Amino acid sequence: MQDSESTRQWQVTCVCGWRTSGARGEVVSAVIAHGRDTHSQDLTEEQAMSQAVPMPADE
Ligand SMILES: [Zn+2]
């Protein structure tokens, strides 16, 4: 029952209005791919997660 971190959902809203949400690894790879494809920026995992906010876990 202490494992909520691994199932936590995260949400990222980019400055351009693009959004993604999902598990940590999914959000990180989506943000990195979006940064590269849309903004020609290479983001690190740390930079990607700095934009992520945890989704409320109310289910
Ligand atoms: Zn963007």
Side-chain angles (χ1 to χ4, degrees):
M1 299 295 275
Q2 293 279 37
D3 202 30
S4 62
E5 279 306 303
S6 62
T7 56
R8 179 174 289 286
Q9 300 287 293
W10 297 83
Q11 183 171 49
V12 172
T13 305
C14 185
V15 290
C16 71
W18 173 91
R19 273 191 190 181
T20 191
S21 62
R24 191 182 195 279
E26 295 169 346
V27 166
V28 166
S29 39
V31 168
I32 289 173
H34 171 76
R36 190 171 47 224
D37 295 347
T38 305
H39 301 289
S40 300
Q41 287 180 336
D42 271 321
L43 297 175
T44 64
E45 178 176 341
E46 201 171 273
Q47 289 170 320
M49 281 314 289
S50 74
Q51 303 177 58
V53 293
M55 305 266 284
D58 56 3
E59 286 188 85

